Amino acid sequence: MTVSFQKLRYKNLSNWSVAHLLANQFNYNEDFKLERIGNFLLRNKTQISVDDNTIYKRVTIRLYNKGVKLRDTEIGKKIGTKKQFIIKQGQFLMSKIDARNGAFGIATEEVDGAIITADFFAYDIDETKILPQFLVLLTTTKQFQRFAQSASSGTTGRQRMDEKKFLDVKIPLPSIKKQNEIIDKYLEKVNQVNILNALIEEKSKQIEETILSTLSISKSFNDSSNKILQFSKFSTLTSWGVNKLLLNKEIYKSDKYHLQPLRTYCTLIRGVTYKKSSELPSGGYKVLRANNINLDNTLNFDEIKYISKTEQFSDEKKLRKNDVFICLASGSKKHIGKVVFIDEDMDYYFGGFMGVIRINSEVLMPDYLNLILNTSLFNDYLSSKIFGSNINNLNSELLYDFKIPIPSKDLQMDLINLSGKMKSEIINLKAQIQNNNELAISQFEQEIFN
């Protein structure tokens, strides 16, 4: 039997639990005094009763330090929990259940005035002791996440934060002057990241300019919306209706190629639907949704939905090689039309607000179509066609009416290869950004925690 002893300073103790004490032993820069978290985070419990006829903003706190964002807006009569709490911009928010997984962040202007349930904590920040930006940096460190984990207890998957334990944790806290100096060092790294992001934006513009110039495409800016009398060519009509006729104006043209609607070249397949009761914490079918397509048209596997196999999904709704995976519906118009090219068969299904475009023609290459859908041509087309509603929808008719130039397969392949090379350069730049971000956090953590 091996017996080991650790000496702990009485003045640093915040809790007599052995597990809690051991979890909160860490190295730190002794130039900084230890400050109890509860001395600079002050709980705010501004409670309200939800009114049936008022529309409320609700928030989500993303895992792994990805911050706070607006979840949705909802009319009060559809909100079951009537006793909730108002939050305001600048507060520190934390999830009771998911704090151990980095679910905390600062409330932004977007969520100012939103409501939260009792499953969330809201704190006012004492800025005479800690700067909000310093607090944000602090929460990204591994040590801070250990603090949150050590203050959580319960069964796996339902561990809740013990607020008193968390607030009693003592952390090394520099003076405000020193915090500003540390932030400035961090921002030097961030500025390098900004330069790299500018290069990525420039590369992305080059890809689009190359595609449009090769295909001799120019955008049309003919605004005839204020004209009393307008004419439309019968040969260009795709549907009847005054509204549709007014929106039938072409927004771009090609001097080399006849623009052809997608309807004769592909099929749109909508995703799976399922009952809420079929959702599982893990196992079953894996379903990708709108959040799994990034705004830069890349794929991620965060927050996958797991669905019971009692739903019996069709294999037609599983992602296949050469699919163009697309977001068809969302509460936010900016997400409509996000696409990702699938280059291999995948063991993932796509959800009901999603779809895949499958090519059924020999003359159109799927990765070339993906290139076109990634340009501003498609975004401009959607912006000109979709009107605001609670949920914006891209239906099959709207997709099939989108017109594209279809050059020879050799030219399609040339564009695919050229853009692929430039995208590889973008991937390398993104890797540099990730390295810079990790280095900045590492240096910050080293300065605080040694």
Side-chain angles (χ1 to χ4, degrees), residues 94-313:
M94 182 166 61
S95 164
K96 279 186 183 179
I97 297 173
D98 291 315
R100 71 192 192 282
N101 293 319
F104 27 66
I106 305 291
T108 61
E109 182 180 2
E110 179 187 38
V111 300
D112 186 44
I115 58 173
I116 56 172
T117 67
D119 280 332
F120 298 91
F121 296 128
Y123 298 95
D124 294 326
I125 301 169
D126 184 347
E127 296 187 27
T128 65
K129 294 182 178 177
I130 189 167
L131 300 173
Q133 191 169 8
F134 188 85
L135 177 58
V136 169
L137 290 177
L138 193 64
T139 62
T140 63
T141 64
K142 294 175 183 177
Q143 186 58 55
F144 191 90
Q145 291 167 32
R146 291 190 195 105
F147 296 150
Q149 289 163 1
S150 71
S152 300
S153 60
T155 58
T156 303
R158 298 300 296 176
Q159 290 187 344
R160 289 179 178 270
M161 169 71 73
D162 182 321
E163 184 184 20
K164 186 177 185 309
K165 279 186 181 179
F166 174 72
L167 294 178
D168 281 342
V169 169
K170 294 180 179 179
I171 66 166
L173 190 63
S175 66
I176 292 293
K177 180 181 178 182
K178 185 63 177 178
Q179 288 179 42
N180 273 314
E181 291 174 5
I182 293 172
I183 289 170
D184 287 342
K185 287 182 183 177
Y186 175 81
L187 291 178
E188 287 178 12
K189 293 290 181 186
V190 171
N191 288 335
Q192 294 175 23
V193 168
N194 291 338
I195 292 170
L196 292 172
N197 276 322
L199 287 174
I200 288 175
E201 187 175 347
E202 184 61 32
K203 291 282 183 187
S204 299
K205 287 181 180 178
Q206 288 176 13
I207 292 175
E208 171 149 337
E209 288 169 358
T210 299
I211 293 171
L212 299 187
S213 63
T214 302
L215 298 173
S216 295
I217 289 176
S218 58
K219 295 185 179 183
S220 304
F221 298 99
N222 179 29
D223 181 14
S224 57
S225 57
N226 59 350
K227 293 182 179 178
I228 297 175
L229 185 62
Q230 297 185 40
F231 296 91
S232 296
K233 291 184 179 180
F234 181 79
S235 61
T236 67
L237 300 185
T238 58
S239 54
W240 291 105
V242 173
N243 221 26
K244 294 179 179 179
L245 290 175
L246 290 175
L247 290 174
N248 196 52
K249 303 300 181 184
E250 299 291 355
I251 58 175
Y252 60 91
K253 63 180 181 178
S254 171
D255 294 331
K256 275 188 184 178
Y257 302 98
H258 176 60
L259 300 179
Q260 303 184 58
L262 285 180
R263 65 178 62 252
T264 55
Y265 300 97
C266 64
T267 302
L268 176 65
I269 299 170
R270 287 187 170 269
V272 298
T273 57
Y274 47 85
K275 299 185 291 291
K276 182 75 175 175
S277 59
S278 295
E279 294 182 6
L280 301 172
S282 61
Y285 296 124
K286 294 179 288 187
V287 178
L288 299 184
R289 300 167 295 150
N291 63 286
N292 298 116
I293 300 181
N294 301 319
L295 287 174
D296 64 354
N297 300 91
T298 56
L299 201 59
N300 73 74
F301 297 94
D302 298 336
E303 300 179 45
I304 295 167
K305 280 290 183 184
Y306 294 95
I307 306 300
S308 170
K309 291 192 175 181
T310 57
E311 291 286 350
Q312 298 181 335
F313 293 159

Side-chain angles (χ1 to χ4, degrees), residues 399-434:
L399 179 71
Y400 291 154
D401 285 344
F402 179 60
K403 296 179 180 180
I404 66 171
I406 303 181
S408 68
K409 292 183 78 171
D410 285 343
L411 184 53
Q412 290 181 49
M413 183 57 71
D414 287 344
L415 287 172
I416 292 166
N417 290 336
L418 183 59
S419 65
K421 181 180 178 181
M422 297 174 79
K423 284 179 180 178
S424 293
E425 294 173 5
I426 290 176
I427 290 172
N428 290 334
L429 289 170
K430 287 182 176 179
Q432 291 181 49
I433 288 174
Q434 184 174 349

